[in-house]
Amino acid sequence: MIAIAQPVIDAEEINAVNEVLSSGMLAQGPRVAELEKDWAAYCGTKHALAVNSGTASLHAALFAAGVGEGDEVITTPFSFIATVNPIIMLGATPVLVDIDPETFNIDPEQIKQAITKKTKAIVPVHLYGQPADMREIQEIAQAHKLVVIEDACQAIGAEYDGKKAGNLGDLACFSLYATKNIMCGEGGIVTTNNDAYATAVRQFRQHGMSGPYQYEHLGYNFRLTDLQAAIAVEQLKKVDTFSKKRQAIAKTFNAALKSIPGLVTPNAQSGRSHVYHQYTMRATKDLPVNRDELVEKLRSKDVGAAVYYPLPLHLVEHIAHFGYKKGDFPHAEQAAAEVLSLPVHPKLSDKDVATVIAAVKDCISAT
Ligand SMILES: *Cc1c(COP(=O)(O)O)cnc(C)c1O
């Protein structure tokens, strides 16, 4: 099976872990500090704070932004559930708005219409690795004094107007989960240029502590270990190489697949770079097979196609509970019914890429 995701683990990662093991200091320490310094330099932000998952990074960033009971946070229904759960965990209300069907990212016009006196923050997701419409979103946020928190979990290295994801809002969140563009098994990063936000995140990841046994507020243990940070430091050195490989594969897929009636290949917008965390197409009703059949057929040909995401978040029971129902976000619902992703990771050989293309063509024409 050509897997939908596969981490790149070379001698550098293995040696880095061995060094930490030999040092005998495994918890948050010098390698976490190194990762934070490198990550901030890479994104061009003043601060980067490591935590133990992307979900924890969103939770900590929302906390730092002051999100709590009675607040509303505007975000997209077309994302992984970890975009929304931390909003609810903090006692705030997730206010979902529909997406732009071309990019799958949150639609700024819809954001405008959802703002109330209770709105505190906007969480745009750079879905599949393509930055959201950050200029429009920043303008809206400034006009209404809202905090912008990028969910950049899929977008390390992506750029918008020459600036890196992570440096496009007030705070940004990254994931180092095993399937992400760079990874360390589990991990997360919060970036910001704001000292007060950085302090709040630093405290929140460590029981709300400002110093030894000085408790400023509630907190968690969201610390990353040096074992994981050592892997992530090596991965970050390779991120641009990985992105270039992903972009080259996407280009090959586009050229081979874009003229097939009923298949809609990804739309890369100008003025920003797409790092193809996923290569995601639509299988529309003009295709002789439906989306689910196509995914099944591809898998039977050992191509690990997958659907991100089959259920829009407003239809998840504990989120629907906030007053959502089927029909509320037609673009997100249609995307959930039509999208499928092909393997696009840097471990693919030229032969794998050709196999994927041939399999897609085969599955469509053999019906
Ligand atoms: C992966 C991901 C998360 C959560 O990250 P974890 O490290 O798995 O907790 C959040 N948002 C998006 C868009 C993601 O892709």
Side-chain angles (χ1 to χ4, degrees), residues 174-298:
F174 293 92
S175 168
L176 288 159
Y177 179 61
T179 63
K180 297 289 154 80
N181 286 25
I182 57 173
M183 63 95 227
C184 62
E186 297 274 8
I189 304 274
V190 178
T191 53
T192 184
N193 290 310
N194 179 303
D195 295 343
Y197 291 157
T199 300
V201 170
R202 201 175 283 116
Q203 293 176 2
F204 194 67
R205 76 173 169 193
Q206 170 121 307
H207 312 291
M209 276 161 46
S210 60
Y213 308 103
Q214 285 180 287
Y215 305 106
E216 304 297 330
H217 44 70
L218 276 174
Y220 286 91
N221 173 359
F222 278 167
R223 293 183 307 258
L224 191 71
T225 67
D226 263 20
L227 283 167
Q228 294 159 307
I231 301 171
V233 164
E234 295 306 323
Q235 293 266 299
L236 186 60
K237 293 177 190 165
K238 304 174 184 177
V239 66
D240 289 340
T241 315
F242 293 169
S243 296
K244 282 196 189 101
K245 183 93 197 273
R246 287 174 179 273
Q247 287 160 345
I249 297 169
K251 203 172 162 191
T252 307
F253 285 160
N254 283 342
L257 304 175
K258 74 167 184 276
S259 60
I260 296 176
L263 265 193
V264 182
T265 51
N267 183 320
Q269 302 284 301
S270 65
R272 60 195 92 175
S273 67
H274 193 322
V275 293
Y276 292 97
H277 172 59
Q278 299 296 349
Y279 180 90
T280 302
M281 315 180 288
R282 284 178 191 265
T284 72
K285 57 182 185 334
D286 298 333
L287 215 60
V289 279
N290 74 31
R291 192 271 313 271
D292 292 337
E293 284 164 3
L294 180 54
V295 170
E296 273 313 300
K297 282 174 179 246
L298 285 167

Side-chain angles (χ1 to χ4, degrees), residues 93-106:
T93 299
V95 174
L96 305 177
V97 303
D98 212 351
I99 56 167
D100 172 349
E102 282 208 4
T103 61
F104 304 106
N105 280 329
I106 194 166

